[in-house]
């Protein structure tokens, strides 16, 4: 397994070999491609200029969903394909995905009526091959209010009730990367592709990349190079000869997090907005999160942030559907914003542009993949690796095997055994110096990798000098040694989501997390200062303190 402590050896490997495939981008798309390719027998390198999942793949609505709303646009094939993927993603990674019953209320003069909801959900079940016990139910107005008393009762006609899956997008991406590494892929974060290397026939045979930790150049040779950089695909294509027949259109979507004290939602719900869009509100532990918006975006892709207008829009949507909830932007504990990489379609508004993915290849041989959804990552990977295998000589490589391949941490005996797996681990926790509750939480979070985290706890309990709780400290050690976390933000945002869902703990622990990671990874003084600034800035942005200060 790759550790951030071993960056130097990883860089040497990247410099040394000629790989079959070089993947640019460590979001879910690139991660999926690396895993698919390596498990077919290709040698694979993957480089990511930020942390893994730091782009759109940590900024989504965090649902593994079939895209019900695309039925309205008659994208039947897309819905059928990604709808079926939901259960596959779930079974391969039960520790990062869980079923979430979703309420779809309908009111007089709403987007959907009883008939369209019933027919739409039935079609959804059919297209996605949903198992019997999870097929849609139709509820009366009274039954709807029993499920969720906060829903607007005026003009309520009833609701559809159907299953989606909730996930942790960044952790899902990281579990895919870890599995790819376990299978032999060489993956490195904080390495940015700067230019391509061409042969005499003007074909791409690799890339020059910059290690952003050491500022050193790395030369990576590969037979095929894939640009899986999401919202950045156009800027990476611009490093190759520019033959821009297709262009991306970027749109921004934000989410807000409210404490259950102020918005005590019991039930996940997908609801109409006053401007005829649809928005999710999802309970998660002590919080409720709401999203998303959809507006054209032309600012800094690396650091999209929620502004007051975005936040007001979502608060307006909440008041519209939940009239007894009174929240203001003061109640917004945290926010995040993501950028959708959509394929340009003239004359369409943001919500109408298709979410389907496309693959194309430049004259110099660069493969580019764009569009798509988190949920469909495995099928996207399969299609691009099929194309690569064809060009490399199909007979050398096996078929796609990811359909039944557990992701890292997923070996818990299947979804039906997960609860008993957690219960067993909980029993063991005390012998590692952890409470049963901590053991339970960790087992749910790390799945079959939890033993490693327990082992760190066991070792650290007698030697720890940090004031951090033992379980958190063990998580930091695991994140560095098994998940390639390099900066404190990697840990507090992508490895744990603390910035979004436990923002008070983020504020409490951030300085100590920096101190611990500094000792383990030997940051320079400059790095330490930069990381401190980054920690503080992200806090200000997520909690809207920055935008409020600017008003
Ligand atoms: C608001 C919002 C909500 C969404 N909700 C859902 C949802 O609930 N369910 C769902 O299925 N989908 C959802 N999506 C869609 C989904 O999140 C995206 O389709 C998916 O995350 C895109 O992943 P990606 O890997 O293509 O891009 P990214 O995750 O952005 O990854 C691209 C990576 O490339 C890296 N990169 C760029 N340039 C370089 C370079 N020169 N060298 C090296 N690396 C580079 C970037 O740093 C980045 O990490 C949502 C999207 C948004 C914006």
């Amino acid at each position: 397994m790759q550790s951030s402590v071993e960056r130097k050896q990883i860089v040497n490997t990247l410099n040394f070999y000629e790989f079959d495939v070089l993947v640019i981008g460590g979001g879910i798309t690139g991660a999926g491609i690396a895993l698919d390719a390596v498990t077919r027998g290709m040698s694979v390198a993957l480089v990511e200029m930020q942390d893994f999942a730091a782009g759109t793949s940590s900024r989504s609505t965090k649902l593994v969903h079939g895209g019900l709303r695309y039925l309205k646009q008659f994208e039947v094939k897309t819905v059928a394909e990604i709808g079926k993927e939901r259960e596959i993603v779930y079974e391969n990674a039960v520790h990062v995905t869980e079923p979430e019953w979703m309420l779809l209320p309908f009111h007089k003069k709403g987007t959907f009526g009883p008939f369209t909801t019933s027919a739409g959900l039935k079609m959804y079940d059919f297209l996605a091959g949903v198992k019997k016990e999870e097929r849609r139910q139709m509820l009366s107005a009274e039954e709807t209010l029993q499920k969720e008393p906060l829903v607007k009762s005026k003009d309520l006609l009833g609701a559809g009730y159907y299953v989606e899956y909730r996930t942790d997008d960044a952790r899902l991406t990281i579990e895919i990367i870890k599995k790819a590494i376990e299978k032999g892929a060489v993956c490195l974060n904080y390495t940015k592709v700067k230019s391509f290397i061409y042969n005499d026939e003007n074909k791409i045979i690799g890339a020059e990349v910059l290690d952003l930790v050491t500022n050193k150049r790395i030369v990576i040779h590969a037979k095929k190079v894939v640009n899986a950089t999401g919202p950045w695909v156009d800027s990476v294509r611009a490093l190759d000869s520019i033959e821009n027949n297709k262009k991306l259109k970027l749109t921004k979507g934000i989410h807000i997090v409210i404490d259950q004290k102020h918005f005590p939602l019991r039930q996940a719900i997908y609801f109409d907005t006053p401007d005829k869009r649809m928005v999710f509100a999802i309970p998660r532990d002590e919080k409720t999160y709401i999203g998303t918006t959809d507006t054209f975006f032309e600012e800094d892709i690396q650091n999209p942030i929620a502004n007051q207008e975005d936040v007001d829009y979502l608060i307006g949507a909440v008041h519209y559907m939940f009239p007894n909830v009174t929240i203001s932007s003061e109640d917004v504990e945290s926010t995040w914003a993501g950028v959708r990489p959509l394929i340009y379609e003239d004359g369409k508004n943001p919500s109408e542009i298709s979410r389907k993915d496309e693959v194309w290849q430049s004259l110099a041989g660069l493969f580019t993949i764009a569009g798509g959804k988190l949920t469909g990552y495995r099928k996207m990977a399969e299609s691009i690796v099929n194309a690569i295998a064809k060009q490399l000589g199909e007979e050398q490589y096996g078929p796609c095997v990811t359909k039944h391949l557990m992701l890292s941490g997923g070996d818990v005996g299947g979804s039906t055994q997960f609860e008993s797996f957690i219960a067993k681990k909980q029993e063991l926790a005390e012998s590692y110096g952890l409470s049963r509750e901590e053991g339970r939480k960790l087992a749910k979070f790390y799945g079959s990798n939890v033993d490693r985290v327990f082992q760190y706890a066991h070792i650290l309990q007698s030697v720890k000098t940090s004031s951090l709780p033992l379980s958190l400290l063990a998580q930091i050690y695991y994140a560095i040694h098994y998940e390639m976390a390099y900066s404190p933000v990697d840990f507090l945002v992508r490895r744990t989501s603390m910035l979004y869902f436990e923002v008070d703990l983020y504020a409490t622990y951030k300085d100590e997390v920096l101190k611990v990671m500094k000792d383990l990874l030997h940051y320079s003084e400059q790095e330490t200062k930069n990381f401190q600034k980054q920690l503080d800035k992200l806090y200000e942005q997520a909690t809207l303190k920055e935008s409020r200060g600017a008003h």
Side-chain angles (χ1 to χ4, degrees):
M1 199 43 70
Q2 280 180 197
S3 156
S4 278
V5 176
E6 290 155 8
R7 282 186 71 90
K8 207 165 159 193
Q9 289 93 302
I10 302 166
V11 168
N12 288 344
T13 314
L14 288 174
N15 261 320
F16 188 75
Y17 287 104
E18 187 201 32
F19 294 88
D20 290 327
V21 186
L22 166 63
V23 182
I24 311 169
I28 196 148
T29 309
I33 295 168
L35 180 59
D36 190 310
V38 77
T39 49
R40 292 197 206 196
M42 296 176 191
S43 57
V44 177
L46 179 147
V47 288
E48 163 55 55
M49 71 174 178
Q50 310 179 76
D51 183 24
F52 302 123
T56 309
S57 299
S58 54
R59 299 157 179 275
S60 76
T61 306
K62 308 182 192 300
L63 288 175
V64 172
H65 71 129
L68 179 64
R69 122 184 132 71
Y70 310 136
L71 277 183
K72 250 172 69 182
Q73 287 148 250
F74 300 106
E75 293 195 25
V76 173
K77 196 162 164 265
T78 312
V79 174
E81 189 163 288
I82 56 178
K84 287 198 185 85
E85 280 300 301
R86 295 178 307 172
E87 213 191 334
I88 299 173
V89 177
Y90 172 52
E91 283 300 335
N92 290 339
V94 284
H95 60 308
V96 281
T97 323
E98 59 183 284
E100 178 87 54
W101 281 90
M102 190 73 70
L103 196 63
L104 183 71
F106 41 85
H107 292 79
K108 264 184 216 154
K109 297 192 189 143
T111 311
F112 294 109
F115 177 74
T116 42
T117 304
S118 172
L121 288 176
K122 194 165 185 183
M123 185 156 165
Y124 193 55
D125 281 348
F126 171 74
L127 291 172
V130 172
K131 53 186 176 224
K132 215 167 166 195
E133 59 278 19
E134 292 190 353
R135 291 197 191 138
R136 69 102 171 86
Q137 301 161 26
M138 295 305 295
L139 308 181
S140 66
E142 293 73 47
E143 287 167 328
T144 305
L145 291 171
Q146 269 163 22
K147 291 270 180 239
E148 183 45 76
L150 292 173
V151 167
K152 176 166 66 178
S153 57
K154 185 167 182 286
D155 294 336
L156 180 66
L157 298 172
Y161 196 50
Y162 68 108
V163 171
E164 297 283 20
Y165 293 82
R166 201 181 69 180
T167 188
D168 179 328
D169 46 7
R171 286 214 62 83
L172 178 63
T173 304
I174 287 162
E175 298 299 20
I176 301 168
I177 297 259
K178 283 158 70 183
K179 191 67 181 189
I181 291 171
E182 186 190 313
K183 295 287 179 187
V186 184
C187 305
L188 193 58
N189 47 5
Y190 298 106
T191 19
K192 179 173 185 174
V193 168
K194 298 295 258 184
S195 60
F196 290 111
I197 309 168
Y198 295 83
N199 67 9
D200 294 344
E201 286 142 25
N202 261 331
K203 297 287 177 207
I204 291 179
I205 51 161
E208 286 198 3
V209 309
L210 188 65
D211 178 348
L212 298 172
V213 172
T214 58
N215 225 7
K216 286 198 177 135
R217 198 175 70 110
I218 310 172
V219 178
I220 306 175
H221 284 96
K223 293 184 187 128
K224 295 290 160 195
V225 178
V226 183
N227 170 10
T229 55
W232 288 264
V233 296
D234 280 346
S235 60
V236 171
R237 288 168 81 207
L239 301 174
D240 181 20
S241 45
I242 308 180
E243 1 148 340
N244 265 356
N245 46 350
K246 293 219 164 74
K247 262 210 155 119
L248 279 198
K249 192 83 195 165
L250 304 182
T251 77
K252 182 177 82 166
I254 76 131
H255 291 80
I256 56 175
V257 181
I258 310 271
D259 196 276
Q260 280 270 332
K261 275 200 307 267
H262 304 298
F263 186 4
L265 190 75
R266 296 207 304 232
Q267 165 66 56
I269 172 162
Y270 191 30
F271 63 95
D272 281 344
T273 59
D275 59 340
K276 305 258 174 270
R277 289 185 58 253
M278 294 197 73
V279 160
F280 290 102
I282 300 170
R284 177 169 161 154
D285 303 326
E286 313 296 307
K287 314 288 168 189
T288 298
Y289 71 96
I290 303 117
T292 179
T293 56
D294 203 351
T295 48
F296 287 127
F297 181 74
E298 286 170 0
E299 289 153 48
D300 175 15
I301 310 178
Q302 199 154 329
N303 192 25
I305 49 177
N307 60 33
Q308 196 61 48
E309 200 181 325
D310 301 322
V311 171
D312 290 344
Y313 172 87
L314 291 179
I315 290 177
V318 169
H319 289 156
Y320 176 73
M321 187 50 64
F322 307 97
N324 293 328
V325 175
T326 43
I327 50 170
S328 74
S329 73
E330 296 297 318
D331 300 316
V332 173
E333 285 196 351
S334 189
T335 63
W336 69 89
V339 180
R340 297 179 188 82
L342 305 178
I343 295 155
Y344 185 71
E345 288 176 59
D346 231 354
K348 292 206 165 164
N349 75 35
S351 294
E352 285 169 350
I353 300 177
S354 165
R355 264 57 174 168
K356 58 179 183 286
D357 58 287
E358 277 193 43
V359 174
W360 61 98
Q361 196 174 17
S362 76
L363 285 177
L366 176 69
F367 279 100
T368 292
I369 182 156
K373 305 278 296 167
L374 203 70
T375 311
Y377 82 90
R378 203 190 61 80
K379 288 305 277 183
M380 286 166 72
E382 183 178 353
S383 76
I384 200 162
V385 179
N386 281 346
I388 292 171
K390 227 177 223 143
Q391 293 186 8
L392 289 178
E394 247 168 337
E395 57 296 339
Q396 300 175 59
Y397 307 105
C400 172
V401 296
T402 54
K403 188 168 177 183
H404 301 294
L405 184 73
M406 295 297 158
L407 300 185
S408 185
D411 288 307
V412 296
S415 58
T416 51
Q417 300 305 310
F418 192 39
E419 190 44 50
S420 63
F421 170 89
I422 295 171
K424 260 186 231 145
K425 295 296 169 185
Q426 172 179 335
E427 292 304 312
L428 293 175
E430 280 171 349
S431 59
Y432 292 96
L434 297 163
S435 70
R436 286 165 59 88
E437 191 44 41
E438 284 170 326
R440 185 177 173 80
K441 236 175 128 181
L442 291 173
K444 203 159 175 238
F445 199 76
Y446 291 101
S448 51
N449 289 321
V450 72
D451 293 338
R452 302 240 181 239
V453 186
F454 280 0
Q455 278 154 12
Y456 278 122
H458 188 59
I459 297 164
L460 289 164
Q461 63 176 328
S462 48
V463 295
K464 107 176 170 84
T465 50
S466 163
S467 59
L468 291 176
L470 180 62
S471 69
L472 191 68
L473 203 56
Q475 285 185 275
I476 296 178
Y477 273 70
Y478 180 75
I480 291 176
H481 292 293
Y482 288 89
E483 302 190 323
M484 298 212 64
Y486 185 74
S487 82
V489 163
D490 298 347
F491 179 71
L492 292 167
V493 181
R494 264 90 49 189
R495 305 299 179 288
T496 60
S497 300
M498 210 183 271
L499 177 63
Y500 304 141
F501 297 108
E502 294 169 306
V503 71
D504 293 345
L505 291 184
Y506 177 98
T508 309
Y509 292 142
K510 66 182 171 41
D511 296 343
E512 184 61 18
V513 170
L514 171 62
K515 191 165 163 285
V516 169
M517 291 186 74
K518 180 186 178 189
D519 289 346
L520 291 170
L521 290 161
H522 311 292
Y523 300 152
S524 65
E525 280 317 304
Q526 190 55 48
E527 266 181 319
T528 313
K529 266 193 207 145
N530 292 345
F531 290 151
Q532 182 73 62
K533 246 195 190 150
Q534 195 183 27
L535 283 166
D536 296 339
K537 192 170 171 68
L538 286 183
Y539 178 72
E540 300 275 301
Q541 286 175 341
T543 55
L544 299 171
K545 290 193 170 58
E546 187 177 90
S547 59
R548 283 190 191 122
H551 274 272

